[in-house]
């Protein structure tokens, strides 16, 4: 009799357990991976929020997902790699009625990353991103907030390194336009629709200060199902003025000092010219090493190579002066105007050219202007001819060869002209350069 009673009790318990399982299964909507979460509201316990399988909510239209971004910082901008690194708070807003739950005071519930792995969340990714990660110190920086009506806020703190196609034609006087793009990875516009939740106010930024750039504008935009975070960067020029432009200007001005050094001081002028040339080469190499190897000319390249050309021409100028001086003295030797006691080998070994103190160098005779109306008539033949009217006065023009002979005979004139021509040319170049690129 006792055995029968125990058997009946066991059968009753088994039937009760089976009924409870069937009832629980029906209330859950017969979903896969079923699990119940117990919530407490004002001391009242209930089992109503069911964690769904990772599938999108069933809706007739595309699921609207609002996006809100707060940019925390722009960590770095690399010209060599053409990318930027940004840390931001990415917030998603959507509604899933399957996660709705009753609440007496309409309070939301906040969860951490453990619940995110058990429900469906939008698969937003960063287009053209090279690296990205979610911060996990001290815990994963993920927050999920569920409201009683089924609205959900999903926030994540992420750092992303993305591509920025930069144009260095005006570097370092350039302005770069970069953008961070967001899009759904697996869903098209018929399944999921991304939009800025509050329009242009959906993009907020903290006070961001960069070392080389000034942020002119942050703007949110969209195109089809893709969202854009656009920002314009204007480069600070003061750093490059100190590191590149001012040293280059000083080297060019320093190369002009040789125009005031005596043309017979060969070691001084040659060493000064070579020093400025090598310094300019070092500046150009340093700037090129910190820039990407682009196939077009940058603004800084134009300035550096033009300045290098001025320095190089100052060396060539002294080579011309030295050659003209030597050629002039060789002509004097052929005409017999050099004393027999003059030792040309010793003079050349000392400074590279003959000495004007030891050689009588007479200047090239100036040609008196002919005031007659007939250019073929010699001045000595018509000494008493009255001066013609201004409208009929003619002057004999020197030929190119005569001008060259004049410079050869008076090589010091090359330095005199260079003292004026080089500074004026460089000043004109700077005026055009800064008016175009500034």
């Amino acid at each position: 009799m006792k055995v029968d009673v125990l058997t009946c009790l066991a059968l009753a318990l088994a039937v009760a357990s089976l009924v409870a399982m069937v009832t629980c299964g029906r209330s859950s909507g017969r979903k896969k991976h079923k699990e119940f979460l117990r919530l407490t509201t004002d001391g009242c316990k209930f089992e109503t929020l069911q964690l769904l399988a990772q599938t999108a909510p069933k809706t007739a239209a595309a699921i609207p997902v609002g996006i809100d971004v707060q940019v925390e910082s722009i960590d770095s901008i690399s010209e060599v790699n053409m990318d930027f690194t940004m840390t931001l708070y990415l917030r998603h807003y959507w509604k899933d009625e399957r996660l709705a739950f009753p609440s007496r005071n309409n309070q939301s519930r906040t969860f951490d990353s453990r619940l995110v792995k058990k429900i469906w969340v939008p698969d937003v990714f960063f287009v053209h991103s090279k690296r990205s990660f979610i911060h996990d110190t001290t815990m994963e920086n993920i927050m999920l907030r569920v409201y009683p009506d089924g609205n959900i806020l999903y926030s994540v703190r992420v750092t992303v390194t993305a591509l920025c196609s930069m144009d260095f034609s005006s570097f370092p006087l350039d302005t770069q336009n970069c953008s961070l793009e967001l899009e759904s990875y697996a869903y098209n516009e018929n399944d999921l629709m991304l939009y800025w939740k509050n329009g242009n106010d959906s993009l907020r930024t903290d006070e961001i200060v960069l070392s080389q750039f000034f942020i002119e504008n942050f703007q949110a935009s969209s195109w089809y199902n893709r969202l854009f975070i656009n920002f314009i960067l204007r480069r600070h020029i003061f750093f490059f003025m100190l590191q590149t432009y001012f040293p280059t200007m000083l080297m060019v001005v320093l190369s002009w000092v040789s125009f005031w050094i005596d043309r017979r001081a060969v070691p001084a002028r040659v060493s000064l010219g070579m020093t400025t040339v090598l310094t300019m080469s070092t500046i150009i190499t340093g700037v090129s090493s910190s820039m990407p190897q682009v196939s077009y000319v940058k603004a800084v390249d134009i300035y550096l190579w033009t300045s290098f050309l001025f320095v190089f021409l100052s060396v060539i100028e002294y080579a011309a002066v030295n050659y003209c001086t030597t050629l002039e003295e060789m002509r004097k030797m052929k005409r017999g105007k050099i004393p027999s006691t003059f030792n040309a080998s010793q003079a050349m070994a000392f400074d590279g050219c003959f000495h004007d103190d030891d050689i009588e160098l007479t200047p090239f005779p100036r040609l008196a202007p002919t005031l007659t109306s007939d250019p073929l008539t010699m001045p000595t033949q018509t000494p008493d001819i009255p001066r013609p009217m201004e409208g009929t006065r003619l002057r004999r023009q020197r030929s190119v060869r005569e001008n060259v002979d004049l410079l050869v005979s008076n090589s010091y004139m090359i330095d005199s002209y260079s003292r004026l021509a080089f500074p004026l040319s460089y000043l004109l170049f700077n005026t055009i350069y800064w008016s175009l690129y500034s």
Side-chain angles (χ1 to χ4, degrees):
M1 184 68 179
K2 184 181 294 185
V3 175
D4 295 337
V5 172
L6 293 176
T7 303
C8 291
L9 290 175
L11 291 174
L13 291 174
V15 171
S17 300
L18 181 60
V19 171
M21 292 178 61
V22 172
T23 303
C24 182
R26 290 176 179 177
S27 62
S28 63
R30 295 190 181 94
K31 300 288 184 180
K32 295 182 179 179
H33 308 291
K34 301 179 181 65
E35 183 179 352
F36 289 89
L37 180 67
R38 297 177 182 272
L39 299 177
T40 302
T41 304
D42 298 332
C44 180
K45 297 182 178 180
F46 56 93
E47 298 174 345
T48 58
L49 180 60
Q50 180 186 8
L51 300 182
L52 306 174
Q54 295 184 2
T55 58
K58 300 297 183 180
T59 58
I63 304 173
V65 177
I67 299 295
D68 190 342
V69 172
Q70 179 178 353
V71 179
E72 180 181 2
S73 64
I74 297 180
D75 304 322
S76 64
I77 299 174
S78 175
E79 291 87 357
V80 177
N81 299 324
M82 289 193 181
D83 58 23
F84 64 92
T85 302
M86 178 185 294
T87 300
L88 51 89
Y89 296 92
L90 180 61
R91 302 184 181 95
H92 311 69
Y93 300 86
W94 76 96
K95 186 175 183 179
D96 192 345
E97 296 181 353
R98 297 173 297 181
L99 299 181
F101 63 92
S103 177
R104 294 180 180 179
N105 52 10
N106 199 29
Q107 290 184 349
S108 60
R109 290 291 175 263
T110 303
F111 306 94
D112 56 15
S113 60
R114 291 174 294 180
L115 181 62
V116 175
K117 300 177 182 179
K118 299 179 181 297
I119 66 172
W120 178 88
V121 293
D123 58 343
V124 177
F125 80 106
F126 298 101
V127 184
H128 305 309
S129 65
K130 297 182 179 180
R131 295 173 300 276
S132 62
F133 64 91
I134 299 175
H135 292 261
D136 55 0
T137 305
T138 58
M139 294 289 291
E140 283 188 308
N141 297 169
I142 297 176
M143 185 268 292
L144 183 71
R145 181 170 295 169
V146 182
Y147 293 88
D149 58 354
N151 285 311
I152 301 173
L153 166 61
Y154 171 52
S155 177
V156 57
R157 182 169 177 256
V158 60
T159 295
V160 56
T161 300
L163 176 67
C164 178
S165 299
M166 301 182 182
D167 183 13
F168 298 107
S169 300
S170 301
F171 178 87
L173 306 169
D174 57 335
T175 300
Q176 302 296 338
N177 191 353
C178 299
S179 63
L180 184 63
E181 305 175 15
L182 296 85
E183 190 178 8
S184 174
Y185 185 80
Y187 299 97
N188 55 26
E189 61 274 8
N190 297 324
D191 301 325
L192 188 145
M193 181 183 66
L194 294 178
Y195 69 97
W196 291 112
K197 181 175 176 57
N198 299 315
N200 291 331
D201 296 334
S202 301
L203 180 60
R204 298 186 295 272
T205 60
D206 297 336
E207 185 177 357
I208 301 177
V209 179
L210 302 177
S211 59
Q212 291 192 25
F213 292 92
F214 172 75
I215 302 177
E216 290 188 346
N217 185 25
F218 257 108
Q219 185 180 5
S221 61
S222 61
W223 185 74
Y224 285 96
N225 205 30
R226 179 176 295 187
L227 305 181
F228 297 86
I229 302 175
N230 303 313
F231 55 97
I232 300 176
L233 302 173
R234 180 168 55 85
R235 195 183 305 273
H236 294 303
I237 187 59
F238 188 70
F239 170 80
F240 296 94
M241 293 295 295
L242 292 178
Q243 298 295 325
T244 304
Y245 286 99
F246 284 159
T248 301
M249 294 178 184
L250 292 178
M251 287 299 104
V252 175
V253 174
L254 183 61
S255 66
W256 301 340
V257 176
S258 62
F259 303 151
W260 279 266
I261 299 178
D262 188 8
R263 54 186 172 145
R264 294 181 292 260
V266 178
R269 296 189 65 165
V270 170
S271 59
L272 178 61
M274 295 305 299
T275 301
T276 53
V277 168
L278 293 177
T279 304
M280 284 298 305
S281 301
T282 303
I283 295 175
I284 293 175
T285 303
V287 173
S288 300
S289 62
S290 60
M291 292 297 299
Q293 306 299 321
V294 295
S295 59
Y296 50 85
V297 179
K298 303 180 290 292
V300 67
D301 295 335
I302 296 176
Y303 194 89
L304 290 178
W305 282 104
T306 304
S307 300
F308 182 83
L309 180 62
F310 274 90
V311 174
F312 180 76
L313 289 179
S314 66
V315 179
I316 299 300
E317 184 270 347
Y318 178 64
V321 171
N322 187 273
Y323 174 78
C324 291
T325 303
T326 304
L327 187 60
E328 178 187 2
E329 294 170 350
M330 293 298 295
R331 291 180 178 179
K332 296 296 182 181
M333 289 179 61
K334 293 180 179 180
R335 296 173 184 175
K337 294 185 179 182
I338 297 180
S340 58
T341 58
F342 177 74
N343 191 339
S345 300
Q346 293 180 0
M348 289 292 291
F350 177 72
D351 59 7
C353 65
F354 295 108
H355 292 263
D356 293 345
D357 296 338
D358 299 332
I359 307 174
E360 182 183 358
L361 297 179
T362 58
F364 190 86
R366 295 183 177 272
L367 297 177
T370 302
L371 302 180
T372 60
S373 58
D374 188 2
L376 300 179
T377 305
M378 299 300 295
T380 56
Q381 296 176 353
T382 58
D384 298 331
I385 296 178
R387 187 171 182 177
M389 297 177 62
E390 292 291 333
T392 60
R393 184 175 60 183
L394 297 177
R395 176 175 294 184
R396 181 176 178 271
Q397 299 293 332
R398 298 191 185 97
S399 64
V400 176
R401 184 172 182 178
E402 289 176 343
N403 290 328
V404 172
D405 291 339
L406 178 61
L407 290 177
V408 171
S409 302
N410 302 274
S411 57
Y412 65 91
M413 295 177 60
I414 301 178
D415 282 340
S416 301
Y417 292 149
S418 299
R419 294 170 190 173
L420 184 63
F422 274 73
L424 290 179
S425 300
Y426 196 65
L427 179 61
L428 178 62
F429 163 71
N430 276 272
T431 303
I432 297 175
Y433 179 86
W434 294 107
S435 62
L436 288 178
Y437 290 103
S438 62

